[in-house]
Amino acid sequence: MHFKLRHSVALAALACAGFGFVPSADAKTFKWANSGDVSSMDPYARQETFLLTFTANIYDPLVRRDKDLKLEPALATKWGQTSPTEWFFDLRQGVKFSDGTPFTADDVIFSINRANGPGSNVNGNFSSMKEIRKVNDHRVEVTTSVPDPLLADKWASISIMSKAWAEKNNAVQPADMIKNEENFATRNAMGTGPFMLKERRAGEKTVLVPNPTWWDKPVHNLTEVVFTPVPNAATRIAALKAGDIDMTYEVPPADTDNLKKDANIKVLEGPETRVVFLGFDQERDELVESNVKGKNPFKDKRVREAMHRSIDVDAIKRTVMRGQSFPTNLMVAPGINGYTKALDKRPPLLKPEEAKKMLADAGYPNGFETGMDCPNDRYVNDEKICQAVVAMLAKIGIKVNLRAQTRNLYFAKILRSTADGKPSNTSFYMLGWSPATTYDVHNVFEQIIQTPDVKAKKGLYNAGGYSNKKFDELSNKVEVETDKAKRDAMIAEATKIYVDDFAYIPLHQQALVWATRKNVDLVQPADNSFPLRFVNLK
């Protein structure tokens, strides 16, 4: 039977969304929603938290994170270094993929090479890897080009796929989402994880069921999981209050207080490790979306500073985020190894006339015009934040033409190609990043701030092409330094470089807010991952 809604506004919307139903009293169907859909079923399609956390319910990594985000065994039972540049992984024996195929070292080597190859968007995790080789069916060894003490941490987000399944279904390489490619793995999945893909209707719903042959002992009590993307926030909240969904992964700040008053709802909240920031195209000699011809205003530090110091992050926290943000001047949040508190202080705001003078000194007495790219279903209040930024910059004579799109279109436009390193097609953009692979600042240094270098797998998510030679040198040294005091000193020096350079405009660490029905028990990690294996329905 279909559940009855107590909100007429939700009735029509949810009927179209196709929410599931519980077939019997004993069934434990967990129904949850988010503002946007998961982009692909391929775990290497995009280095994006929501895609990685969703597919991690179907696939297993070699090592995984526990409830407290500490590393623990998964498909590898033991791992470590035999020398500064040599790693080993001893594989769990007796594991089978959900189609019955045995899991072996061949699958690990295939998966690592696939994740590091053409079409993959997660190949930044392999910048240090020189070679991976099979010792026997249950042991692989890895040689790195430089000492990499964080290799296991990086690979905790890399799902292991079946070599036989990928070869059988013509999915040996990931489909390149930046080029809008698709293959069998885009809409299908088959792993060793706690759940199996039962149904995938992109943009409508995705259904998972428990994997009866999973190697680990389930602690969840779910018999089915139904995920539905619901872009309209009011519809999601109405569905939760009515009991038509059990959980919403994203709660708008405006609805938090109201939900806390509902006796049937639980609100889970805390600071997230992600920092939301704004970036500039500092690579091209002429912006692709500007009225300035023959030069690029964002290459001038004075322009970047004027913009940075004209964006009032406290006002955004107060009016847009309803208090649910933590303003920052850094690209990493507290709790991340390498966070430098002494440098986390934003410079004073400029008065409009002061910012205009700075722009005039840079050669733009009348301001200028630029495009801006922003998602409307990826970060909390993303489009509203961008609208606030547009209004603030208008006061200093910068006309920003905002383009807000769904995450698939937005990422395809702003991300640079990881295959050939071609620049992205954005001039000014919003992005969020959490170093959830390593929980270390070097992940941000290497992937967001270093000069883009496809061959070295550095700066792959540096969409604007910021480049500072001294910063690059320090970041490369941080990567291999094992002396903590020396490493911390280099991190602080590198942090000061990008802060003083106004390389980016960090906005805030967004608050992590989920809401569930009272009968739901789950774990809310600080990295915004959502492991279904910990969910229980009472």
Side-chain angles (χ1 to χ4, degrees), residues 149-382:
L150 298 174
L151 182 76
D153 295 82
K154 294 176 183 176
W155 288 14
S157 65
I158 304 300
S159 295
I160 302 300
M161 300 179 70
S162 163
K163 180 176 185 286
W165 180 84
E167 289 176 343
K168 176 184 175 182
N169 293 294
N170 253 355
V172 172
Q173 292 184 359
D176 192 337
M177 290 190 68
I178 293 177
K179 299 177 181 177
N180 295 313
E181 295 176 354
E182 282 199 16
N183 65 21
F184 190 79
T186 305
R187 296 174 183 265
N188 298 274
M190 199 281 295
T192 62
F195 293 87
M196 302 186 301
L197 180 63
K198 178 183 177 181
E199 182 181 2
R200 168 67 173 166
R201 298 212 304 258
E204 297 179 32
K205 73 174 181 178
T206 305
V207 181
L208 306 180
V209 293
N211 177 4
T213 63
W214 189 38
W215 55 268
D216 202 2
K217 182 179 179 180
V219 295
H220 69 84
N221 67 348
L222 308 180
T223 55
E224 186 179 54
V225 176
V226 179
F227 167 71
T228 309
V230 183
N232 185 277
T235 303
R236 287 198 313 277
I237 299 305
L240 181 68
K241 292 173 74 69
D244 292 285
I245 59 173
D246 302 299
M247 181 260 197
T248 177
Y249 180 79
E250 180 184 303
V251 177
D255 294 303
T256 305
D257 289 341
N258 182 39
L259 286 175
K260 287 179 178 178
K261 297 173 184 176
D262 191 320
N264 297 310
I265 302 294
K266 290 190 294 187
V267 176
L268 300 87
E269 54 188 332
E272 191 189 1
T273 54
R274 181 188 321 279
V275 169
V276 176
F277 59 90
L278 305 178
F280 317 87
D281 176 0
Q282 300 176 57
E283 189 168 5
R284 289 181 174 85
D285 292 328
E286 180 180 300
L287 296 177
V288 294
E289 299 170 333
S290 176
N291 63 342
V292 178
K293 302 303 176 186
K295 60 178 180 175
N296 178 348
F298 295 144
K299 287 193 174 189
D300 194 310
K301 176 184 168 181
R302 292 168 294 184
V303 172
R304 301 195 300 270
E305 180 178 355
M307 294 173 68
H308 186 295
R309 297 179 62 186
S310 297
I311 295 173
D312 189 341
V313 292
D314 291 315
I316 290 174
K317 175 179 180 176
R318 184 174 60 252
T319 61
V320 179
M321 302 301 290
R322 305 292 183 96
Q324 291 181 5
S325 66
F326 303 84
T328 182
N329 197 45
L330 299 182
M331 297 290 283
V332 292
I336 297 299
N337 185 53
Y339 167 78
T340 310
K341 185 177 181 180
L343 295 173
D344 193 4
K345 183 179 180 181
R346 293 182 72 87
L349 286 169
L350 294 172
K351 295 178 181 177
E353 55 270 26
E354 294 172 326
K356 286 180 179 179
K357 182 181 185 306
M358 195 173 287
L359 291 176
D361 291 343
Y364 305 97
N366 300 314
F368 59 89
E369 189 173 330
T370 181
M372 181 183 189
D373 289 292
C374 182
N376 57 19
D377 62 355
R378 179 60 193 96
Y379 312 114
V380 178
N381 284 345
D382 39 21

Side-chain angles (χ1 to χ4, degrees), residues 64-72:
R64 69 185 183 189
R65 301 279 176 183
D66 65 11
K67 294 179 181 180
D68 299 314
L69 300 179
K70 292 182 172 60
L71 291 184
E72 66 176 10

Side-chain angles (χ1 to χ4, degrees), residues 445-446 449-454 458-460 462 465-469 471-472:
F445 284 3
E446 180 181 71
I449 309 178
Q450 279 196 247
T451 303
D453 184 339
V454 170
K458 310 277 187 178
L460 297 183
N462 179 353
Y466 170 75
S467 180
N468 183 297
K469 185 178 179 181
F471 181 92
D472 291 346

Side-chain angles (χ1 to χ4, degrees), residues 150 330-333 335-340 433-450 471 475 478-479 487-488 490-492 494-495 498:
L150 298 174
L330 299 182
M331 297 290 283
V332 292
I336 297 299
N337 185 53
Y339 167 78
T340 310
W433 191 267
S434 170
T437 49
T438 62
Y439 302 90
D440 187 274
V441 69
H442 183 261
N443 173 264
V444 178
F445 284 3
E446 180 181 71
Q447 296 303 319
I448 300 292
I449 309 178
Q450 279 196 247
F471 181 92
S475 181
V478 167
E479 181 178 16
R487 191 175 193 269
D488 288 348
M490 289 188 289
I491 287 172
T495 299
Y498 81 72

